[in-house]
Structures are given as structure tokens and as C-alpha cells.
Amino acid sequence: MPFEDDVVSYPGQFVALVVAQSFEQARAAAYRVHVDYEASVAVSAMDAALQAREPKVGGRGHSRGDAERAFAGGAHQIDVTYTTPNETHNPMEMHATTAYWQNGRLHVFESTQGVVNHRNVLANVFDLSIDKVEVSAPFIGSGFGSKLFPWPHSIAACAASRQLGRPVQLVVPRPQMFTTVGHRPETQQHMRLATNADGRLVSIRHETINTTSMTDDYFENCGGVTKSLYSCANVTTTEKSIQVNRGTPTSMRAPGAAPGLFALESAIDEMALAVGFDPLAFRLRNLATRDESSNLPWSSNHLPEALARGAERFGWDKRSAEVGSMRDGDEIIGYGVGACNWEAFRLPADARVILRADGTALAQCAVQDIGTGTYTIVAQTVADITGLPIDRIEVELGSSAFPAGPLSGGSWATASVMPAVAEASREALRTLRVYAVNQRGPFPEAAPESLIAEGGHLALNGKRVSYAEVLKGQRLSKAEGEHHSPGADVSKYSFRSFGAHFVEVRWDPGISRLRVARVVSAIDVGKVVNPLAARNQVEGAIVMGIGMSLFEAAEFDARNGLPVNNNFAEYVVPVHADQPEIDVILLDYPDLHLNEFGARGIGEIGITGLAAAVANAVYHATGKRVRNLPITLDKLMDGIPT
Ligand code: MOS
């Protein structure tokens, strides 16, 4: 909450808000605000904080068997620590709020991944009933998790508007996006793995510490995948957090799994080499055939096929095992593999579908399209059930005034919203059938359920009447359906998505150039509802994963905790010149335990495991095992201490 007390716990925390007629005037005035404060010593670095105090135990954690004993009794062991830096989401569209009050009602336009939650939070903060608050976000220029939850600027804009009695717009400038709207925290991950003499895993320990702010407990769930991806009787995962003088961390694309699988899939590679196995063969040998952490069967798991088809398309069999043995001119080629994994969620969702007398349909849901194609998916669903052509279906999303939808996050929007929209479409057709059998309707006295709905028509015994004619004939404007769809029943199956990345890197030691040259990814996310949008999500996640692998790290001045590279010039993200050839294989096996369409989600899985596949390829090319992201060139150059 902004302006709660007079303690500043991180650089970038709001101490005042300046409002003016123009942007320039506001900015000039803000620079003139003079703040007197009593200074204290900042503890902004993870190491310094860990020396000062004990980390806090929390998170989810998992334990089965006796990992410590099994480790000691193993035939081969590795004991290594990986680190990942603070990363910043950096959506192109910055966070922004436009707020105004009218007759005791608060209207807010917000770049948010969750209009309903945002509405509920504002209602609480300003002591209003929820029907007095409306939050709109019809389009969002990405969020990656930074826009899942409300941040201080939104509250500040609403408060200022209330005080002034005028609309107030507040845009968070890019430098403040590094402090006040969340980030992926820094992690330290201690991995201890052991196998027996046959190369089967007998012990896995994955112990994570992440940074958090002074005002919050945030635990990065790095062990969330470790507990179930591979078969192993003795597993312990723990999460701890350490407070530093930085802003509060939050979910960033595949929270937990993105940094967690960097550590796990790097460690699996190190373990395979310690045992003397090919990294792909070692994975195939150790895959879990059920979820051993929950003792439930997988709802659907095609990881073996993802590994096999990815390897075939990539040409893994051409990999020569010896480090640095594959060359092309001045370049040394490295091949690496990494599995990817993400939980598949289905949350409760409401939707409304209206068949209209002009022959069109309208679907409404308070879910958001964060750039992933949710508008299209909803229209496809209505078309699928009603048979109306897609260009006659209008979709409205992103207003808290619509039937409640979920946050657009966790890769769950598609799997959650499709069942609600489908059932609301059927509900609208049921309403229409009742109208159709009226005395003045086209099928008087017929049983409503005997009418077949297909291709935008109701039909019976060879007679076909369009939905529009049914309504117009009786001077009705619409037939409406609304539905509440429950979340997934997680008591019988473990729902997860799977996949594998195969990466080729090229290292030119003469000029110290490292490139990711080629990525082949085979992804198992259940039914692929829209292949273009799905492929786009995976490709985008791979690009983001290349940023995580090679470039991205928010650096903080240890003296005061100020972010140093708080701009696009110095916080480096991949550009077009960094793009490899990307080849995405979508396996397309419907997961009918999750919903009637068999669709899981696809937004996040593509970033998981990618950094490990890159690091594994870098090791294969250079012999340098980089355990600290990002893999910057200094870490590969001979004679430079890392
Ligand atoms: Mo995603 S980190 O749940 O937006």
C-alpha cells in the first residue's frame, strides 16, 4: 500500500504523488519534491542479507523417503549450487491507471491481468461495495505476471482522483518498473542428486533460497517440478526467503519452474555425465510414470514422445559426446537438451452468451486477453457449439462488469474459460429452443430438446430455421445463456503439461561470440485449440528463455539497493538479431480429464527448461559449466575468473 507509514523499505518506494495538468508539468514538479529522511544502512544484496540473518522457511516444500541417507549410499553423486538473478518482466506496455469517480462510483482503466481481483481489492481499499467499482482492461500489452495483482500506483491514482474530483492518469515510467511492480527474485539453489550403479536416481534434494522484500514473504516455488518429473523414492525440496531492501517480488512467467528447471535440468545433465550416460538416454531412463509426489496418475503425459520426436527433428543422434568435438569453421557447436514442465490448472469461470436477432452472437467474460488470443479462443468456442460462423461472433472481455472470469495467468485462461463459454452457449440454445416451440414459434408443440442446433439453425424433420428467424418471428431481441463452470477436480489425476527443448549453440572463441543458433521444442499441452496462437506462445517463451539464459539480470547497487540498469538500454533483452531458428512441435493429445475440449494451457511452459538446455549446450561446446545465470561472455572466456 502506498503512503502507509513513514518508513522507506526499498529504493523506488512511493513517498509522494504529484498531479498536474500536463505530463511535463507533473514531471517537472516531481523532480522538485525535496524529501528529508533519516538514513539507515541498506541490506540489498542476498549474500549480505544471509550473513546478517537466517532465511525464513516457507513455500510449499515436499519430502518423501530419506534423501540424505540415499545420497550417502548412492553410487554416483553431484552436489552443486546454481543461482539466478533478479529479472524484471518488462512488458512493452507499461503499467498505467486512469481513475475517475462519478456519483460515488469508481471507474478504473488499468493494465491488469485480473479485472475482477483488481475490482475487489479497490473495493476493499476504498470501502465500497463491489457494485460501486468497475475495472476495465479490454487489451493488455503483455504482463508476464507483473500485472496479476494490484500495485501501489493504482491505489495512488484512485486516491488522487477522489481527492481532486477529476480523472487522474498515472503511468509507471520504465525505470520504476524495476522497483514498484514486482520482479522475479534472485535465487540460490543447492542441488544434491545421486544414482545407483545402473544410472537410476535414488536421491534428489533441491533447496532454494530467494530474495524477498522487507514488507512481504514471497517464496519462489523452485522445487515444484523437481518433486514429480523424475522417478525417485527419496526427494526433499525446500523453499526459504531472505529479506532485502528491494521491492516485493511476484510471479514472473512460469514462476518457480523457470529458475527451478534451470537448476534441475542442469543438474540432471551433470548427473548424466557423472554416470557416463547420454543426457537424453539418462532422462528417458528416469522418467516418472505417475506423479510420485501426490501418488496420482498423470491425466495425460507424453513426455517420452516429446523427447523422442524433438530429438529426431533436431538430429540428436548426430551429437558427438566429447566436449568441443563438433566444429564448423571457427565455431564450436554444442548440443543441449532440457525437459520442460508446468502445472495445468482449470479455475472456476462464469460466462454469458447471447444469440441476437440480427444473426450474431455476443460472448462476455471478465477474463483478459493479455496478448495470447483469448478473444479468438472464446469466439472459436461459441462457433463450435452454436455452428455460427466466427465473423458473426462478437466477444467482450476485460471488464469487471461481465460474468466473473479468472486471472489471465498461470496458463489457465483457455482451460478455465472454454468450458464456461461452451456451457453458456448451450444454455443460450436451450433458451432459444423454448422460444422455438412457442405457439407462434416455428416448431409449435415440439419437444424443445428434440430440436437439433447446427450451423446456426434449429432443425427438426427436415425443417431448418435460423436462430435469427426464430427470434425475429416472435419479435424477440435475443436468447441468453449464462453459466458458472467449476474448477478442476484434482483428487484423481495430476494435471501437468510436458515438453522438451533441444538447443544448438555456437561459440566462436576467437571473437568470444555465443549464439543460440537453433531450438527445436516438442510440447505436450493437451488439445491445441488454435495452432497459430499456440505456436506464437511457445516461440515467445523461447525468446524470453534466451533472454533469461544469456542476458537478463537487474543489477543493484550494494550500497543503497538502487537498480542500476533500470532501462531497456542496459537491461538487455533479446532482439531480432538474437533469434535462432525455432521449430515447435505441438503434440496435440486431448486431455479430456481436464475439460471437454482436452485443452490445457500453453503460455508458460515454453520458458521452462530452456535456460538449462542452453547451459547444457554451452557445456558441450566449451567444457564450461555455467551455474550462474545469465551466461555472459566473461564466464566463457579463458583466464577470466567467474
Ligand atoms: Mo503468469 S507469471 O501467471 O502471468
Side-chain angles (χ1 to χ4, degrees):
M1 290 286 284
F3 319 129
E4 256 195 327
D5 55 28
D6 59 1
V7 179
V8 173
S9 70
Y10 65 94
Q13 183 178 325
F14 292 178
V15 295
L17 175 68
V18 177
V19 182
Q21 295 280 9
S22 72
F23 170 75
E24 291 77 10
Q25 197 182 12
R27 204 167 159 82
Y31 277 117
R32 282 172 173 71
V33 172
H34 179 81
V35 181
D36 287 310
Y37 56 91
E38 199 181 299
S40 54
V41 179
V43 181
S44 72
M46 189 177 201
D47 287 347
L50 285 169
Q51 273 161 28
R53 61 184 165 278
E54 285 293 306
K56 192 169 190 168
V57 182
R60 282 165 253 191
H62 173 77
S63 185
R64 63 177 183 267
D66 186 341
E68 195 176 338
R69 225 176 97 179
F71 182 82
H76 304 276
Q77 290 106 342
I78 62 158
D79 179 342
V80 284
T81 298
Y82 300 88
T83 68
T84 64
N86 180 317
E87 291 172 52
T88 304
H89 304 75
N90 274 314
M92 262 200 188
E93 177 205 57
M94 295 180 291
H95 289 247
T97 308
T98 303
Y100 69 98
W101 296 72
Q102 201 169 41
N103 307 325
R105 283 174 57 87
L106 171 60
H107 300 254
V108 175
F109 292 86
E110 179 80 34
S111 183
T112 174
Q113 294 173 241
V115 289
V116 172
N117 181 62
H118 205 99
R119 187 255 334 251
N120 295 350
V121 169
L122 291 179
N124 262 328
V125 169
F126 292 99
D127 194 20
L128 299 165
S129 60
I130 56 171
D131 60 300
K132 292 276 194 284
V133 185
E134 189 173 333
V135 176
S136 297
F139 293 98
I140 296 105
S142 288
F144 307 120
S146 69
K147 295 171 181 171
L148 284 170
F149 307 110
W151 293 105
H153 66 272
S154 188
I155 314 284
C158 296
S161 172
R162 184 176 59 177
Q163 195 164 328
L164 294 167
R166 302 180 57 177
V168 168
Q169 181 175 70
L170 185 54
V171 179
V172 179
R174 183 66 60 184
Q176 290 185 15
M177 303 255 298
F178 285 75
T179 53
T180 182
V181 290
H183 57 269
R184 197 197 296 285
E186 209 172 317
T187 73
Q188 256 179 32
Q189 303 177 57
H190 186 192
M191 306 293 300
R192 282 172 286 184
L193 275 62
T195 68
N196 63 17
D198 300 333
R200 290 191 192 280
L201 287 161
V202 294
S203 174
I204 302 175
R205 272 177 289 177
H206 188 165
E207 295 164 331
T208 303
I209 306 174
N210 68 263
T211 50
T212 189
S213 68
M214 292 296 178
T215 52
D216 252 303
D217 278 333
Y218 178 86
F219 294 97
E220 187 75 13
N221 183 27
C222 291
V225 175
T226 305
K227 65 186 182 189
S228 65
L229 188 58
Y230 294 103
S231 178
C232 183
N234 306 290
V235 178
T236 303
T237 67
T238 62
E239 279 94 38
K240 294 180 185 173
S241 70
I242 185 78
Q243 291 185 312
V244 293
N245 291 111
R246 295 184 195 167
T248 294
T250 194
S251 295
M252 179 164 160
R253 204 172 195 175
L261 271 167
F262 166 63
L264 177 66
E265 284 297 286
S266 293
I268 287 288
D269 213 70
E270 295 203 55
M271 190 76 251
L273 299 177
V275 180
F277 266 63
D278 171 88
L280 176 61
F282 182 76
R283 283 177 173 81
L284 287 166
R285 189 177 186 76
N286 282 286
L287 293 180
T289 53
R290 59 194 276 113
D291 183 337
E292 295 174 9
S293 70
S294 59
N295 200 25
L296 291 171
W298 305 116
S299 61
S300 173
N301 174 349
H302 296 272
L303 180 54
E305 187 183 335
L307 284 162
R309 286 184 58 188
E312 192 191 348
R313 181 79 63 87
F314 182 79
W316 185 261
D317 59 349
K318 295 187 192 68
R319 179 180 188 269
S320 108
E322 195 192 329
V323 164
S325 62
M326 295 171 69
R327 285 174 184 264
D328 179 8
D330 293 332
E331 292 182 323
I332 308 175
I333 296 169
Y335 283 5
V337 60
C340 45
N341 197 253
W342 183 246
E343 188 165 352
F345 303 90
R346 173 183 164 186
L347 272 54
D350 293 16
R352 179 184 299 130
V353 171
I354 301 170
L355 302 171
R356 299 188 286 205
D358 64 0
T360 65
L362 171 67
Q364 292 177 322
C365 178
V367 69
Q368 306 65 218
D369 190 330
I370 55 174
T372 53
T374 308
Y375 280 104
T376 308
I377 300 278
V378 169
Q380 281 182 261
T381 310
V382 176
D384 192 57
I385 304 299
T386 63
L388 288 169
I390 211 126
D391 62 2
R392 279 203 256 150
I393 297 162
E394 186 186 344
V395 179
E396 292 185 332
L397 309 176
S399 164
S400 62
F402 299 146
L407 293 171
S408 294
S411 304
W412 57 56
T414 294
S416 308
V417 168
M418 281 184 85
V421 172
E423 207 46 56
S425 303
R426 292 191 186 101
E427 219 26 80
L429 286 172
R430 274 192 273 277
T431 309
L432 185 76
R433 284 191 180 92
V434 171
Y435 296 161
V437 299
N438 276 341
Q439 284 313 320
R440 301 194 326 183
F443 302 99
E445 319 246 316
E449 59 282 2
S450 68
L451 302 176
I452 314 271
E454 55 182 16
H457 292 71
L458 293 181
L460 184 68
N461 301 331
K463 182 177 179 185
R464 276 165 60 85
V465 184
S466 74
Y467 304 158
E469 289 172 82
V470 172
L471 293 165
K472 276 190 294 201
Q474 300 176 76
R475 300 176 191 278
L476 292 164
S477 64
K478 60 182 180 176
E480 196 168 323
E482 201 166 325
H483 185 75
H484 171 79
S485 148
D489 172 6
V490 294
S491 65
K492 293 190 192 71
Y493 295 99
S494 173
F495 297 101
R496 301 197 75 91
S497 283
F498 300 86
H501 295 300
F502 293 82
V503 168
E504 175 184 315
V505 300
R506 287 173 171 246
W507 167 241
D508 185 338
I511 56 170
S512 295
R513 184 175 70 180
L514 177 69
R515 288 188 305 129
V516 175
R518 200 159 63 89
V519 178
V520 174
S521 303
I523 305 288
D524 167 31
V525 288
K527 173 73 189 162
V528 175
V529 176
N530 186 311
L532 284 176
R535 194 170 300 276
N536 179 256
Q537 283 305 299
V538 178
E539 289 177 355
I542 289 168
V543 172
M544 204 169 179
I546 289 171
M548 178 184 181
S549 307
L550 303 186
F551 308 125
E552 291 186 49
E555 307 282 356
F556 293 84
D557 187 327
R559 294 166 302 181
N560 51 26
L562 278 166
V564 179
N565 53 344
N566 57 1
N567 54 72
F568 269 152
E570 292 161 300
Y571 182 92
V572 183
V573 295
V575 298
H576 284 90
D578 301 304
Q579 304 314 318
E581 264 177 59
I582 297 177
D583 188 351
V584 176
I585 302 165
L586 300 168
L587 293 189
D588 209 15
Y589 289 102
D591 185 345
L592 296 169
H593 294 302
L594 190 62
N595 56 49
E596 62 180 291
F597 296 94
R600 298 198 292 257
I602 201 165
E604 285 163 297
I605 186 163
I607 195 174
T608 70
L610 199 272
V614 172
N616 297 340
V618 165
Y619 176 80
H620 182 230
T622 67
K624 296 211 164 75
R625 176 60 67 178
V626 181
R627 301 194 183 96
N628 310 307
L629 289 182
I631 307 170
T632 44
L633 300 178
D634 53 303
K635 295 172 186 172
L636 302 179
M637 289 158 76
D638 287 323
I640 296 187
T642 57

